[in-house]
Amino acid sequence: MNKNLQITAMATLLMLSTMATADAPIVQEVTTDERGGSWTVSVTLTHTDTGWDHYADGWEVLAPDGTSLGIRVIAHPHVAEQPFTRSLGSIKIPDGIDHILIRARDNVDGWFDSTFRFVLEN
């Protein structure tokens, strides 16, 4: 095999292995607590964090119409802590909304389109 073909093959394998670890963060569970019109949302995520180079770095609470109600930034990777749960408080959810949507992001791919639908209990 010539040297250029070897380099091309190695680069292709490296690209494929990187793509295989680029899974979207998965929202495993959501819990909420409402007190006096202010909500705390806790989200459990799973992601194939590999370290600072690729990790789940946040999630967002959305109203059903897509309006952002709050963003939880995750400041560091959780390689050895999977799944992991983080909370965000002081969220104002407008009256009449019966569910929220949670979407996640990672520091390589950004926001993912898929959302987790959570029905609010009244």
Side-chain angles (χ1 to χ4, degrees), residues 54-98:
H54 192 187
Y55 69 98
D57 70 343
W59 49 264
E60 182 174 25
V61 180
L62 302 167
D65 68 358
T67 301
S68 179
L69 302 175
I71 295 175
R72 174 59 156 97
V73 174
I74 299 168
H76 59 87
H78 292 84
V79 175
E81 181 189 356
Q82 292 289 328
F84 64 97
T85 304
R86 295 298 177 268
S87 300
L88 179 63
S90 301
I91 298 173
K92 300 295 183 195
I93 298 177
D95 291 337
I97 289 181
D98 66 347

mmCIF file of all heavy atoms in Angstrom, residues 54-98:
data_model
loop_
_atom_site.group_PDB
_atom_site.id
_atom_site.type_symbol
_atom_site.label_atom_id
_atom_site.label_comp_id
_atom_site.label_asym_id
_atom_site.label_seq_id
_atom_site.Cartn_x
_atom_site.Cartn_y
_atom_site.Cartn_z
ATOM 1 N N HIS A 54 -14.946 17.052 24.288
ATOM 2 C CA HIS A 54 -16.325 16.747 23.860
ATOM 3 C C HIS A 54 -17.151 16.347 25.073
ATOM 4 O O HIS A 54 -16.952 15.279 25.627
ATOM 5 C CB HIS A 54 -16.315 15.627 22.834
ATOM 6 C CG HIS A 54 -17.633 15.461 22.142
ATOM 7 N ND1 HIS A 54 -17.878 14.425 21.292
ATOM 8 C CD2 HIS A 54 -18.780 16.186 22.175
ATOM 9 C CE1 HIS A 54 -19.111 14.514 20.826
ATOM 10 N NE2 HIS A 54 -19.678 15.583 21.358
ATOM 11 N N TYR A 55 -18.069 17.229 25.461
ATOM 12 C CA TYR A 55 -18.937 16.922 26.609
ATOM 13 C C TYR A 55 -20.258 17.669 26.497
ATOM 14 O O TYR A 55 -20.372 18.663 25.783
ATOM 15 C CB TYR A 55 -18.236 17.251 27.931
ATOM 16 C CG TYR A 55 -18.013 18.722 28.218
ATOM 17 C CD1 TYR A 55 -18.883 19.430 29.038
ATOM 18 C CD2 TYR A 55 -16.924 19.405 27.677
ATOM 19 C CE1 TYR A 55 -18.676 20.781 29.305
ATOM 20 C CE2 TYR A 55 -16.709 20.739 27.947
ATOM 21 C CZ TYR A 55 -17.593 21.431 28.762
ATOM 22 O OH TYR A 55 -17.392 22.761 29.032
ATOM 23 N N ALA A 56 -21.276 17.152 27.186
ATOM 24 C CA ALA A 56 -22.572 17.826 27.266
ATOM 25 C C ALA A 56 -22.373 19.090 28.088
ATOM 26 O O ALA A 56 -21.953 19.026 29.239
ATOM 27 C CB ALA A 56 -23.601 16.917 27.917
ATOM 28 N N ASP A 57 -22.661 20.246 27.480
ATOM 29 C CA ASP A 57 -22.348 21.502 28.173
ATOM 30 C C ASP A 57 -23.580 22.354 28.484
ATOM 31 O O ASP A 57 -23.449 23.506 28.883
ATOM 32 C CB ASP A 57 -21.303 22.311 27.409
ATOM 33 C CG ASP A 57 -21.815 22.901 26.109
ATOM 34 O OD1 ASP A 57 -22.866 22.457 25.609
ATOM 35 O OD2 ASP A 57 -21.160 23.814 25.585
ATOM 36 N N GLY A 58 -24.780 21.778 28.335
ATOM 37 C CA GLY A 58 -25.944 22.539 28.737
ATOM 38 C C GLY A 58 -27.257 21.922 28.323
ATOM 39 O O GLY A 58 -27.303 20.978 27.533
ATOM 40 N N TRP A 59 -28.320 22.468 28.902
ATOM 41 C CA TRP A 59 -29.677 22.121 28.495
ATOM 42 C C TRP A 59 -30.558 23.343 28.665
ATOM 43 O O TRP A 59 -30.208 24.282 29.368
ATOM 44 C CB TRP A 59 -30.229 20.906 29.235
ATOM 45 C CG TRP A 59 -30.106 20.877 30.729
ATOM 46 C CD1 TRP A 59 -29.131 20.260 31.451
ATOM 47 C CD2 TRP A 59 -30.995 21.469 31.702
ATOM 48 N NE1 TRP A 59 -29.355 20.432 32.796
ATOM 49 C CE2 TRP A 59 -30.505 21.164 32.981
ATOM 50 C CE3 TRP A 59 -32.169 22.226 31.605
ATOM 51 C CZ2 TRP A 59 -31.122 21.593 34.151
ATOM 52 C CZ3 TRP A 59 -32.795 22.649 32.777
ATOM 53 C CH2 TRP A 59 -32.259 22.318 34.029
ATOM 54 N N GLU A 60 -31.697 23.332 27.975
ATOM 55 C CA GLU A 60 -32.583 24.485 27.948
ATOM 56 C C GLU A 60 -34.018 24.054 28.206
ATOM 57 O O GLU A 60 -34.468 23.016 27.723
ATOM 58 C CB GLU A 60 -32.483 25.163 26.581
ATOM 59 C CG GLU A 60 -33.311 26.401 26.419
ATOM 60 C CD GLU A 60 -33.071 27.125 25.097
ATOM 61 O OE1 GLU A 60 -32.652 26.468 24.115
ATOM 62 O OE2 GLU A 60 -33.296 28.340 25.045
ATOM 63 N N VAL A 61 -34.736 24.885 28.946
ATOM 64 C CA VAL A 61 -36.166 24.695 29.172
ATOM 65 C C VAL A 61 -36.894 25.578 28.170
ATOM 66 O O VAL A 61 -36.633 26.782 28.086
ATOM 67 C CB VAL A 61 -36.574 25.094 30.607
ATOM 68 C CG1 VAL A 61 -38.067 24.885 30.814
ATOM 69 C CG2 VAL A 61 -35.763 24.325 31.638
ATOM 70 N N LEU A 62 -37.793 24.967 27.401
ATOM 71 C CA LEU A 62 -38.557 25.685 26.385
ATOM 72 C C LEU A 62 -40.046 25.600 26.673
ATOM 73 O O LEU A 62 -40.545 24.550 27.113
ATOM 74 C CB LEU A 62 -38.308 25.087 25.000
ATOM 75 C CG LEU A 62 -36.869 25.054 24.492
ATOM 76 C CD1 LEU A 62 -36.766 24.163 23.259
ATOM 77 C CD2 LEU A 62 -36.398 26.459 24.183
ATOM 78 N N ALA A 63 -40.766 26.668 26.383
ATOM 79 C CA ALA A 63 -42.223 26.630 26.375
ATOM 80 C C ALA A 63 -42.647 25.836 25.132
ATOM 81 O O ALA A 63 -41.851 25.637 24.209
ATOM 82 C CB ALA A 63 -42.778 28.051 26.327
ATOM 83 N N PRO A 64 -43.898 25.377 25.082
ATOM 84 C CA PRO A 64 -44.353 24.606 23.913
ATOM 85 C C PRO A 64 -44.173 25.336 22.579
ATOM 86 O O PRO A 64 -43.958 24.697 21.550
ATOM 87 C CB PRO A 64 -45.834 24.360 24.199
ATOM 88 C CG PRO A 64 -45.926 24.383 25.687
ATOM 89 C CD PRO A 64 -44.923 25.424 26.134
ATOM 90 N N ASP A 65 -44.190 26.676 22.587
ATOM 91 C CA ASP A 65 -44.014 27.431 21.346
ATOM 92 C C ASP A 65 -42.547 27.682 20.998
ATOM 93 O O ASP A 65 -42.230 28.364 20.025
ATOM 94 C CB ASP A 65 -44.776 28.754 21.404
ATOM 95 C CG ASP A 65 -44.187 29.747 22.411
ATOM 96 O OD1 ASP A 65 -43.192 29.415 23.106
ATOM 97 O OD2 ASP A 65 -44.736 30.861 22.518
ATOM 98 N N GLY A 66 -41.628 27.142 21.813
ATOM 99 C CA GLY A 66 -40.201 27.276 21.550
ATOM 100 C C GLY A 66 -39.530 28.432 22.268
ATOM 101 O O GLY A 66 -38.310 28.604 22.153
ATOM 102 N N THR A 67 -40.292 29.215 23.030
ATOM 103 C CA THR A 67 -39.715 30.319 23.797
ATOM 104 C C THR A 67 -38.800 29.769 24.886
ATOM 105 O O THR A 67 -39.187 28.862 25.625
ATOM 106 C CB THR A 67 -40.829 31.165 24.459
ATOM 107 O OG1 THR A 67 -41.678 31.666 23.434
ATOM 108 C CG2 THR A 67 -40.254 32.307 25.272
ATOM 109 N N SER A 68 -37.606 30.307 24.989
ATOM 110 C CA SER A 68 -36.663 29.871 26.023
ATOM 111 C C SER A 68 -37.099 30.398 27.383
ATOM 112 O O SER A 68 -37.339 31.598 27.557
ATOM 113 C CB SER A 68 -35.258 30.364 25.707
ATOM 114 O OG SER A 68 -34.357 29.952 26.720
ATOM 115 N N LEU A 69 -37.191 29.490 28.357
ATOM 116 C CA LEU A 69 -37.548 29.863 29.724
ATOM 117 C C LEU A 69 -36.338 29.832 30.653
ATOM 118 O O LEU A 69 -36.408 30.337 31.770
ATOM 119 C CB LEU A 69 -38.639 28.921 30.255
ATOM 120 C CG LEU A 69 -39.934 28.875 29.439
ATOM 121 C CD1 LEU A 69 -40.876 27.818 29.996
ATOM 122 C CD2 LEU A 69 -40.590 30.244 29.396
ATOM 123 N N GLY A 70 -35.244 29.234 30.208
ATOM 124 C CA GLY A 70 -34.024 29.176 31.005
ATOM 125 C C GLY A 70 -33.019 28.221 30.414
ATOM 126 O O GLY A 70 -33.376 27.245 29.764
ATOM 127 N N ILE A 71 -31.744 28.533 30.642
ATOM 128 C CA ILE A 71 -30.646 27.692 30.156
ATOM 129 C C ILE A 71 -29.749 27.332 31.327
ATOM 130 O O ILE A 71 -29.347 28.194 32.103
ATOM 131 C CB ILE A 71 -29.818 28.420 29.078
ATOM 132 C CG1 ILE A 71 -30.678 28.665 27.836
ATOM 133 C CG2 ILE A 71 -28.567 27.616 28.713
ATOM 134 C CD1 ILE A 71 -29.992 29.479 26.757
ATOM 135 N N ARG A 72 -29.434 26.041 31.435
ATOM 136 C CA ARG A 72 -28.501 25.552 32.456
ATOM 137 C C ARG A 72 -27.189 25.246 31.752
ATOM 138 O O ARG A 72 -27.111 24.370 30.895
ATOM 139 C CB ARG A 72 -29.060 24.306 33.134
ATOM 140 C CG ARG A 72 -28.105 23.617 34.117
ATOM 141 C CD ARG A 72 -27.692 24.560 35.245
ATOM 142 N NE ARG A 72 -27.270 23.876 36.432
ATOM 143 C CZ ARG A 72 -26.000 23.620 36.753
ATOM 144 N NH1 ARG A 72 -25.022 23.975 35.949
ATOM 145 N NH2 ARG A 72 -25.722 23.012 37.884
ATOM 146 N N VAL A 73 -26.156 25.994 32.092
ATOM 147 C CA VAL A 73 -24.827 25.757 31.537
ATOM 148 C C VAL A 73 -24.129 24.711 32.397
ATOM 149 O O VAL A 73 -24.173 24.778 33.630
ATOM 150 C CB VAL A 73 -24.004 27.063 31.501
ATOM 151 C CG1 VAL A 73 -22.573 26.794 31.067
ATOM 152 C CG2 VAL A 73 -24.674 28.083 30.600
ATOM 153 N N ILE A 74 -23.499 23.763 31.750
ATOM 154 C CA ILE A 74 -22.711 22.739 32.442
ATOM 155 C C ILE A 74 -21.253 23.081 32.174
ATOM 156 O O ILE A 74 -20.808 23.096 31.027
ATOM 157 C CB ILE A 74 -23.077 21.333 31.953
ATOM 158 C CG1 ILE A 74 -24.566 21.084 32.243
ATOM 159 C CG2 ILE A 74 -22.203 20.280 32.613
ATOM 160 C CD1 ILE A 74 -25.139 19.875 31.567
ATOM 161 N N ALA A 75 -20.533 23.364 33.237
ATOM 162 C CA ALA A 75 -19.213 23.984 33.115
ATOM 163 C C ALA A 75 -18.050 23.014 32.920
ATOM 164 O O ALA A 75 -16.934 23.460 32.669
ATOM 165 C CB ALA A 75 -18.942 24.851 34.346
ATOM 166 N N HIS A 76 -18.297 21.710 33.026
ATOM 167 C CA HIS A 76 -17.185 20.765 32.905
ATOM 168 C C HIS A 76 -17.699 19.402 32.480
ATOM 169 O O HIS A 76 -18.885 19.102 32.637
ATOM 170 C CB HIS A 76 -16.416 20.652 34.231
ATOM 171 C CG HIS A 76 -17.270 20.198 35.371
ATOM 172 N ND1 HIS A 76 -17.482 18.872 35.653
ATOM 173 C CD2 HIS A 76 -17.985 20.902 36.280
ATOM 174 C CE1 HIS A 76 -18.285 18.770 36.703
ATOM 175 N NE2 HIS A 76 -18.610 19.991 37.097
ATOM 176 N N PRO A 77 -16.823 18.545 31.944
ATOM 177 C CA PRO A 77 -17.231 17.208 31.528
ATOM 178 C C PRO A 77 -17.573 16.304 32.717
ATOM 179 O O PRO A 77 -17.112 16.533 33.836
ATOM 180 C CB PRO A 77 -16.016 16.659 30.770
ATOM 181 C CG PRO A 77 -14.900 17.600 30.990
ATOM 182 C CD PRO A 77 -15.417 18.833 31.641
ATOM 183 N N HIS A 78 -18.372 15.286 32.430
ATOM 184 C CA HIS A 78 -18.767 14.294 33.429
ATOM 185 C C HIS A 78 -18.441 12.897 32.904
ATOM 186 O O HIS A 78 -19.321 12.058 32.740
ATOM 187 C CB HIS A 78 -20.262 14.418 33.744
ATOM 188 C CG HIS A 78 -20.596 15.686 34.459
ATOM 189 N ND1 HIS A 78 -20.816 16.868 33.790
ATOM 190 C CD2 HIS A 78 -20.707 15.949 35.775
ATOM 191 C CE1 HIS A 78 -21.068 17.818 34.678
ATOM 192 N NE2 HIS A 78 -21.009 17.294 35.889
ATOM 193 N N VAL A 79 -17.174 12.682 32.631
ATOM 194 C CA VAL A 79 -16.730 11.418 32.040
ATOM 195 C C VAL A 79 -17.053 10.240 32.952
ATOM 196 O O VAL A 79 -17.575 9.216 32.514
ATOM 197 C CB VAL A 79 -15.214 11.463 31.729
ATOM 198 C CG1 VAL A 79 -14.720 10.117 31.220
ATOM 199 C CG2 VAL A 79 -14.911 12.573 30.723
ATOM 200 N N ALA A 80 -16.771 10.364 34.237
ATOM 201 C CA ALA A 80 -16.956 9.261 35.185
ATOM 202 C C ALA A 80 -18.298 9.318 35.908
ATOM 203 O O ALA A 80 -18.572 8.467 36.745
ATOM 204 C CB ALA A 80 -15.819 9.259 36.209
ATOM 205 N N GLU A 81 -19.125 10.312 35.612
ATOM 206 C CA GLU A 81 -20.427 10.450 36.279
ATOM 207 C C GLU A 81 -21.516 10.459 35.212
ATOM 208 O O GLU A 81 -21.918 11.485 34.701
ATOM 209 C CB GLU A 81 -20.475 11.758 37.080
ATOM 210 C CG GLU A 81 -21.770 11.973 37.823
ATOM 211 C CD GLU A 81 -21.881 13.355 38.435
ATOM 212 O OE1 GLU A 81 -20.924 14.153 38.368
ATOM 213 O OE2 GLU A 81 -22.953 13.642 38.970
ATOM 214 N N GLN A 82 -21.972 9.285 34.844
ATOM 215 C CA GLN A 82 -23.005 9.133 33.829
ATOM 216 C C GLN A 82 -24.064 8.165 34.325
ATOM 217 O O GLN A 82 -23.714 7.104 34.806
ATOM 218 C CB GLN A 82 -22.417 8.611 32.525
ATOM 219 C CG GLN A 82 -21.506 9.572 31.826
ATOM 220 C CD GLN A 82 -22.236 10.757 31.224
ATOM 221 O OE1 GLN A 82 -23.377 10.652 30.792
ATOM 222 N NE2 GLN A 82 -21.591 11.905 31.230
ATOM 223 N N PRO A 83 -25.324 8.465 34.227
ATOM 224 C CA PRO A 83 -25.851 9.785 33.897
ATOM 225 C C PRO A 83 -25.616 10.763 35.049
ATOM 226 O O PRO A 83 -25.242 10.358 36.145
ATOM 227 C CB PRO A 83 -27.345 9.533 33.692
ATOM 228 C CG PRO A 83 -27.644 8.339 34.532
ATOM 229 C CD PRO A 83 -26.385 7.513 34.536
ATOM 230 N N PHE A 84 -25.865 12.045 34.799
ATOM 231 C CA PHE A 84 -25.708 13.052 35.838
ATOM 232 C C PHE A 84 -26.904 13.999 35.818
ATOM 233 O O PHE A 84 -27.560 14.172 34.797
ATOM 234 C CB PHE A 84 -24.385 13.822 35.685
ATOM 235 C CG PHE A 84 -24.292 14.633 34.427
ATOM 236 C CD1 PHE A 84 -24.597 15.990 34.445
ATOM 237 C CD2 PHE A 84 -23.880 14.063 33.233
ATOM 238 C CE1 PHE A 84 -24.506 16.749 33.293
ATOM 239 C CE2 PHE A 84 -23.780 14.816 32.079
ATOM 240 C CZ PHE A 84 -24.102 16.162 32.108
ATOM 241 N N THR A 85 -27.200 14.578 36.973
ATOM 242 C CA THR A 85 -28.365 15.447 37.127
ATOM 243 C C THR A 85 -27.919 16.824 37.584
ATOM 244 O O THR A 85 -27.107 16.946 38.500
ATOM 245 C CB THR A 85 -29.356 14.861 38.158
ATOM 246 O OG1 THR A 85 -29.720 13.541 37.749
ATOM 247 C CG2 THR A 85 -30.601 15.729 38.285
ATOM 248 N N ARG A 86 -28.480 17.849 36.951
ATOM 249 C CA ARG A 86 -28.240 19.228 37.348
ATOM 250 C C ARG A 86 -29.569 19.972 37.339
ATOM 251 O O ARG A 86 -30.480 19.624 36.589
ATOM 252 C CB ARG A 86 -27.236 19.927 36.425
ATOM 253 C CG ARG A 86 -25.832 19.330 36.472
ATOM 254 C CD ARG A 86 -25.208 19.447 37.861
ATOM 255 N NE ARG A 86 -23.910 18.840 37.961
ATOM 256 C CZ ARG A 86 -23.662 17.583 38.333
ATOM 257 N NH1 ARG A 86 -24.648 16.767 38.619
ATOM 258 N NH2 ARG A 86 -22.423 17.147 38.420
ATOM 259 N N SER A 87 -29.662 20.994 38.173
ATOM 260 C CA SER A 87 -30.913 21.737 38.336
ATOM 261 C C SER A 87 -30.744 23.196 37.949
ATOM 262 O O SER A 87 -29.638 23.735 37.941
ATOM 263 C CB SER A 87 -31.378 21.660 39.794
ATOM 264 O OG SER A 87 -31.596 20.327 40.171
ATOM 265 N N LEU A 88 -31.881 23.818 37.646
ATOM 266 C CA LEU A 88 -31.943 25.245 37.360
ATOM 267 C C LEU A 88 -33.182 25.784 38.053
ATOM 268 O O LEU A 88 -34.283 25.268 37.849
ATOM 269 C CB LEU A 88 -32.028 25.488 35.850
ATOM 270 C CG LEU A 88 -32.133 26.953 35.395
ATOM 271 C CD1 LEU A 88 -30.875 27.726 35.788
ATOM 272 C CD2 LEU A 88 -32.364 27.014 33.893
ATOM 273 N N GLY A 89 -33.004 26.797 38.883
ATOM 274 C CA GLY A 89 -34.113 27.377 39.621
ATOM 275 C C GLY A 89 -34.540 28.724 39.083
ATOM 276 O O GLY A 89 -33.979 29.246 38.116
ATOM 277 N N SER A 90 -35.557 29.283 39.739
ATOM 278 C CA SER A 90 -36.093 30.612 39.414
ATOM 279 C C SER A 90 -36.625 30.713 37.997
ATOM 280 O O SER A 90 -36.497 31.752 37.343
ATOM 281 C CB SER A 90 -35.041 31.699 39.666
ATOM 282 O OG SER A 90 -34.637 31.682 41.009
ATOM 283 N N ILE A 91 -37.204 29.631 37.497
ATOM 284 C CA ILE A 91 -37.796 29.632 36.158
ATOM 285 C C ILE A 91 -39.248 30.071 36.280
ATOM 286 O O ILE A 91 -39.993 29.567 37.125
ATOM 287 C CB ILE A 91 -37.707 28.234 35.511
ATOM 288 C CG1 ILE A 91 -36.244 27.832 35.349
ATOM 289 C CG2 ILE A 91 -38.447 28.204 34.181
ATOM 290 C CD1 ILE A 91 -36.054 26.413 34.879
ATOM 291 N N LYS A 92 -39.644 31.008 35.457
ATOM 292 C CA LYS A 92 -41.034 31.485 35.406
ATOM 293 C C LYS A 92 -41.723 30.798 34.232
ATOM 294 O O LYS A 92 -41.362 31.028 33.074
ATOM 295 C CB LYS A 92 -41.096 33.002 35.239
ATOM 296 C CG LYS A 92 -40.420 33.755 36.371
ATOM 297 C CD LYS A 92 -41.131 33.541 37.676
ATOM 298 C CE LYS A 92 -40.472 34.373 38.776
ATOM 299 N NZ LYS A 92 -40.857 33.966 40.097
ATOM 300 N N ILE A 93 -42.689 29.932 34.545
ATOM 301 C CA ILE A 93 -43.458 29.253 33.513
ATOM 302 C C ILE A 93 -44.820 29.937 33.442
ATOM 303 O O ILE A 93 -45.542 29.973 34.429
ATOM 304 C CB ILE A 93 -43.600 27.746 33.818
ATOM 305 C CG1 ILE A 93 -42.199 27.101 33.839
ATOM 306 C CG2 ILE A 93 -44.498 27.081 32.781
ATOM 307 C CD1 ILE A 93 -42.183 25.633 34.195
ATOM 308 N N PRO A 94 -45.156 30.502 32.288
ATOM 309 C CA PRO A 94 -46.415 31.241 32.159
ATOM 310 C C PRO A 94 -47.645 30.378 32.460
ATOM 311 O O PRO A 94 -47.647 29.170 32.196
ATOM 312 C CB PRO A 94 -46.414 31.687 30.692
ATOM 313 C CG PRO A 94 -44.974 31.684 30.286
ATOM 314 C CD PRO A 94 -44.359 30.559 31.054
ATOM 315 N N ASP A 95 -48.670 31.007 33.009
ATOM 316 C CA ASP A 95 -49.943 30.326 33.266
ATOM 317 C C ASP A 95 -50.481 29.744 31.968
ATOM 318 O O ASP A 95 -50.316 30.322 30.885
ATOM 319 C CB ASP A 95 -50.974 31.304 33.850
ATOM 320 C CG ASP A 95 -50.624 31.740 35.265
ATOM 321 O OD1 ASP A 95 -49.870 31.003 35.952
ATOM 322 O OD2 ASP A 95 -51.099 32.806 35.687
ATOM 323 N N GLY A 96 -51.139 28.613 32.088
ATOM 324 C CA GLY A 96 -51.770 27.980 30.935
ATOM 325 C C GLY A 96 -50.884 26.997 30.197
ATOM 326 O O GLY A 96 -51.351 26.283 29.318
ATOM 327 N N ILE A 97 -49.616 26.944 30.534
ATOM 328 C CA ILE A 97 -48.713 25.987 29.889
ATOM 329 C C ILE A 97 -48.812 24.658 30.641
ATOM 330 O O ILE A 97 -48.633 24.605 31.856
ATOM 331 C CB ILE A 97 -47.266 26.515 29.867
ATOM 332 C CG1 ILE A 97 -47.171 27.675 28.874
ATOM 333 C CG2 ILE A 97 -46.279 25.409 29.511
ATOM 334 C CD1 ILE A 97 -45.793 28.268 28.744
ATOM 335 N N ASP A 98 -49.114 23.585 29.906
ATOM 336 C CA ASP A 98 -49.283 22.276 30.549
ATOM 337 C C ASP A 98 -48.067 21.370 30.414
ATOM 338 O O ASP A 98 -48.007 20.308 31.019
ATOM 339 C CB ASP A 98 -50.525 21.564 30.009
ATOM 340 C CG ASP A 98 -50.397 21.182 28.538
ATOM 341 O OD1 ASP A 98 -49.465 21.662 27.852
ATOM 342 O OD2 ASP A 98 -51.240 20.399 28.066
#
